Amino acid sequence: MEEVVVVPECSAAMKPVVGQKFQSLDFAFAFYDIYARAVGFDTRKQAMRKVDDVTTWYQVVCNREGRKKGGEDDQLNARSGFTIKRRKLSKRCGCTASISFRFFSEDGSSGYIIHEFNEIHNHHMVETEHQQFMSSNRKLDDVHHKFILDCSRANIGPTLTFKVLKEILGGFELASCTVGDIRNASRDIKEYAQGYDVQMVLDDMARKKEISEAYTYHYEVNESDQLVALFWCDGVMKRNYHMFGDTVSFDSTYCMIFTPFTGKDNHGSPVTFAAGLI
């Protein structure tokens, strides 16, 4: 296979230069990140040195640095008794492009200086129309997390969540994420809420009760302090009940039929229900 040598093209003001100084390591990272995103490659923080809690040296490499472990490594691990995990798709190709920052302190000022800079890659840069899918360009901010959480509460899965988000924002390139990112974020939210999800529901109902005196909710727990029954209704639901009596609510999400105020389904098993407006 023919070796590829690529030197990314960009303006002189954007390209890192050995000896260039920054006020902090965060500014240094941000500068290199902007450069990498502009020319079309992702980065990864690789190594560092510390002295007395001060970072004296830090290296950032191209995300395609290193090599994917092969079958020989798996066989060696198997013989050593280690469990072989499923390999993820890897695009590592041994790229040596990197940059390192060194701490300096002189004339009463301190910061970080570019110590070494290798701009040569052994792979092609990501084309402009595909740069939206680079890891550095896929960022989930607070708005994304709130939207994912709301969709999760409405039992909307990651794929449909992404489609809705794409339509709201106006296209794939403006979504700033992929279905996989949304799936991972939804997983993290569920892990964070595990053990607290019921309390979050009860807290939300308590807040609604503070806002509206007509809002009513009751719940029961068993001897293990686990929720076994939950009932809630607001002012509109109460008015509908007084006007129409018992109602049947059709839940199209799960294609199930609940009969409020009875407490049992068609098989005589207890159900959790709430009065609903049809």
Side-chain angles (χ1 to χ4, degrees):
M1 184 175 180
E2 185 179 356
E3 184 178 356
V4 177
V5 178
V6 176
V7 178
E9 297 182 0
C10 67
S11 64
M14 184 175 291
K15 179 177 293 188
V17 177
V18 173
Q20 191 171 359
K21 296 181 179 180
F22 303 91
Q23 294 180 350
S24 68
L25 205 52
D26 289 337
F27 278 113
F29 289 155
F31 178 82
Y32 191 62
D33 183 61
I34 292 173
Y35 161 75
R37 292 169 61 182
V39 299
F41 72 95
D42 279 317
T43 63
R44 184 176 73 251
K45 296 173 183 179
Q46 177 75 354
M48 63 178 295
R49 299 192 192 108
K50 273 191 172 184
V51 176
D52 297 331
D53 293 329
V54 176
T55 302
T56 58
W57 179 82
Y58 211 115
Q59 183 186 40
V60 181
V61 300
C62 172
N63 203 39
R64 300 186 68 176
E65 179 270 346
R67 296 284 184 181
K68 179 182 179 181
K69 293 183 179 180
E72 295 181 359
D73 298 303
D74 290 337
Q75 294 176 8
L76 178 61
N77 289 333
R79 289 194 296 269
S80 302
F82 294 102
T83 302
I84 300 176
K85 295 183 178 180
R86 181 173 61 88
R87 295 289 183 200
K88 294 182 179 180
L89 180 64
S90 175
K91 293 186 178 181
R92 295 192 180 189
C93 58
C95 183
T96 59
S98 64
I99 191 171
S100 63
F101 304 99
R102 178 174 55 82
F103 177 78
F104 74 89
S105 181
E106 56 186 25
D107 300 328
S109 62
S110 62
Y112 289 85
I113 187 173
I114 297 180
H115 182 228
E116 294 178 335
F117 173 53
N118 177 13
E119 62 178 324
I120 300 176
H121 297 255
N122 66 348
H123 57 89
H124 296 288
M125 299 293 98
V126 178
E127 297 179 357
T128 303
E129 60 268 27
H130 298 144
Q131 288 183 5
Q132 59 186 345
F133 301 110
M134 292 168 53
S135 297
S136 56
N137 288 327
R138 302 195 328 256
K139 303 292 185 182
L140 293 179
D141 54 26
D142 292 341
V143 175
H144 285 88
H145 284 97
K146 179 62 168 61
F147 184 78
I148 294 172
L149 178 59
D150 290 342
C151 289
S152 179
R153 288 174 173 172
N155 297 314
I156 299 176
T159 301
L160 184 55
T161 297
F162 176 75
K163 290 181 179 179
V164 175
L165 182 65
K166 172 180 66 72
E167 294 300 324
I168 292 175
L169 296 179
F172 288 103
E173 66 280 1
L174 300 177
S176 300
C177 62
T178 64
V179 176
D181 296 326
I182 292 179
R183 184 175 292 108
N184 293 336
S186 179
R187 176 204 60 202
D188 294 341
I189 291 173
K190 290 178 181 178
E191 289 181 354
Y192 175 80
Q194 187 175 7
Y196 302 95
D197 48 349
V198 173
Q199 187 60 51
M200 292 168 62
V201 172
L202 297 179
D203 291 343
D204 182 61
M205 290 187 172
R207 285 192 294 268
K208 291 180 179 179
K209 179 65 177 179
E210 292 178 357
I211 296 174
S212 174
E213 294 183 358
Y215 190 86
T216 302
Y217 73 98
H218 297 284
Y219 64 93
E220 295 180 4
V221 296
N222 58 18
E223 60 276 3
S224 301
D225 203 29
Q226 295 176 327
L227 183 68
V228 295
L230 176 62
F231 168 84
W232 72 95
C233 63
D234 57 21
V236 175
M237 295 175 181
K238 291 179 180 179
R239 287 197 300 270
N240 289 337
Y241 176 68
H242 285 297
M243 292 180 64
F244 305 107
D246 290 353
T247 61
V248 176
S249 175
F250 293 89
D251 189 337
S252 60
T253 303
Y254 297 104
C255 297
M256 301 171 66
I257 299 177
F258 295 96
T259 307
F261 308 105
T262 63
K264 294 182 180 295
D265 64 10
N266 294 332
H267 300 283
S269 302
V271 296
T272 300
F273 57 82
L277 176 62
I278 298 179

